[in-house]
Amino acid sequence: MNPPDSTPRPPGPGPGRVRVGPLLRLAQRRAAHTFADALRPLGIEGRHYGVLLNLNLHGPLSQRRLIDLTGGDKSSMVRTVDDLETRGLAVRRPSPTDRRAYAVEITEQGRALFAEASVVADDVATRLLGHMDEGDQDLLCTLLERFVAAPEA
Amino acid sequence: MNPPDSTPRPPGPGPGRVRVGPLLRLAQRRAAHTFADALRPLGIEGRHYGVLLNLNLHGPLSQRRLIDLTGGDKSSMVRTVDDLETRGLAVRRPSPTDRRAYAVEITEQGRALFAEASVVADDVATRLLGHMDEGDQDLLCTLLERFVAAPEA
DNA sequence: TATTGTTATACTCTATAACTATA
DNA sequence: TATAGTTATAGAGTATAACAATA
């Protein structure tokens, strides 16, 4: 039968945890679209920005390490680093410690474009988070950091 | 009426709102993989679970409304509802108020499988969030709810 | 034996447009 | 004119396996 039980339960603090998957999906899509639109004039996409951010933060990294830090798989990372190298934003140098690996390094041009992109990213973040309390904005980022810092199962 | 930013963020290695994009990407990938693996034995994917969850929560919904609630686009939603209907987990009924639209409704079988899937989802959520403090787990979900509840730009 | 990076391939997801029937 | 849903198609993203060089 048709139970008139259409109880529109408010998304209160109740059964939230099972929704973490669907919620992350929605949140990521919203952020990805906004970022993509904003970065398009700079000629890069989110995946490029993520790599530049980590190269700028941590110094030269192997593609393996970049995959762990930004997500994706080996073949995608090859394409992303190819793109960055073609545009002169990063270079592949031989790793000093592992002859199998590269040390992908950000260039001067890369740093310059990353600085531009960071202004854009900050503006995007402001738009994405602007409807939330200021404290909650930082809290969300902090909790996301903790979430992704999970020990590998 | 935001007060002037009296709490300056450390611009250095701190959380940093500019990282909300890359962080959401990482978080979503982690959750999506874990959910997909766990739901596979039940024969559904994350997108199906998201639709069932909202149908169970809100009652019959148009495909338009489902898109707003779960993300995706019109063609993807057609496929997802097709899948659910083929498996007898949901049915398309004519909308009582709009003859263009369907009222997608969860079936008895749908509720049964959703109950199973929710057990799985809860287990997955426990694994995904298990390394965080209990309070932080709920807080993350609550903040994600607020994040995706942004007024459409 | 395992791992880094490359290449090739297939598959899924996404975006877009055209179309209908309604509003 | 605009919207709900369908269909078709192209493009991007993703997963997978094979391979060479090195650990």
Side-chain angles (χ1 to χ4, degrees):
Chain A
M1 273 300 294
N2 214 354
D5 164 67
S6 55
T7 48
R9 235 181 328 174
R17 294 190 327 173
V18 290
R19 297 193 57 186
V20 67
L23 281 173
L24 280 172
R25 175 183 153 93
L26 266 182
Q28 201 274 334
R29 287 178 61 91
R30 185 165 99 90
H33 277 110
T34 312
F35 268 102
D37 290 346
L39 289 176
R40 193 164 297 124
L42 296 180
I44 62 171
E45 302 168 27
R47 60 198 169 94
H48 302 112
Y49 177 72
V51 167
L52 289 178
L53 185 144
N54 279 287
L55 291 180
N56 191 68
L57 198 63
H58 299 107
L61 296 169
S62 70
Q63 294 182 190
R64 220 305 139 229
R65 191 95 182 79
L66 283 170
I67 290 166
D68 294 336
L69 288 167
T70 65
D73 56 302
K74 293 199 285 185
S75 13
S76 303
M77 188 53 66
V78 169
R79 279 193 307 119
T80 301
V81 176
D82 280 351
D83 294 344
L84 294 176
E85 207 166 30
T86 300
R87 297 206 37 199
L89 305 174
V91 287
R92 284 182 171 99
R93 300 193 187 286
S95 163
T97 60
D98 187 337
R99 293 203 297 178
R100 293 171 304 179
Y102 290 124
V104 181
E105 194 175 337
I106 194 169
T107 63
E108 273 308 309
Q109 283 184 62
R111 282 190 202 279
L113 189 125
F114 173 69
E116 279 188 77
S118 291
V119 175
V120 171
D122 193 67
D123 179 60
V124 169
T126 298
R127 291 212 306 277
L128 286 173
L129 296 159
H131 65 292
M132 298 171 67
D133 292 342
E134 291 229 352
D136 287 353
Q137 298 181 17
D138 288 335
L139 195 51
L140 175 58
C141 293
T142 300
L143 291 175
L144 283 173
E145 297 254 18
R146 271 178 219 165
F147 179 80
V148 302
E152 299 195 20
Chain B
M1 56 161 34
N2 289 335
D5 195 344
S6 54
T7 57
R9 261 173 297 282
R17 298 183 317 169
V18 290
R19 296 193 57 185
V20 68
L23 280 173
L24 280 172
R25 176 183 153 93
L26 267 182
Q28 201 274 333
R29 286 177 62 93
R30 186 165 99 90
H33 278 110
T34 312
F35 268 102
D37 290 345
L39 289 176
R40 192 165 298 123
L42 295 181
I44 61 171
E45 303 168 26
R47 60 199 170 93
H48 303 113
Y49 177 72
V51 167
L52 290 178
L53 184 144
N54 279 286
L55 291 180
N56 191 70
L57 196 64
H58 299 107
L61 297 169
S62 70
Q63 295 182 191
R64 214 322 127 221
R65 190 95 182 80
L66 283 170
I67 291 165
D68 294 337
L69 288 168
T70 65
D73 56 303
K74 294 198 285 185
S75 15
S76 303
M77 187 53 66
V78 170
R79 278 191 307 117
T80 301
V81 177
D82 281 350
D83 295 343
L84 294 176
E85 208 167 29
T86 299
R87 296 206 38 199
L89 306 175
V91 287
R92 284 180 170 100
R93 301 193 186 286
S95 162
T97 60
D98 187 338
R99 292 204 298 178
R100 295 172 303 178
Y102 291 125
V104 181
E105 194 176 335
I106 194 169
T107 63
E108 274 308 309
Q109 283 183 61
R111 283 190 201 277
L113 189 125
F114 174 69
E116 279 188 76
S118 291
V119 175
V120 172
D122 193 67
D123 178 60
V124 169
T126 298
R127 289 213 307 278
L128 286 174
L129 295 160
H131 64 294
M132 299 171 66
D133 293 341
E134 289 226 358
D136 286 355
Q137 297 182 17
D138 288 335
L139 193 51
L140 175 57
C141 293
T142 300
L143 291 175
L144 283 172
E145 297 255 17
R146 271 179 220 165
F147 179 80
V148 302
E152 299 194 21

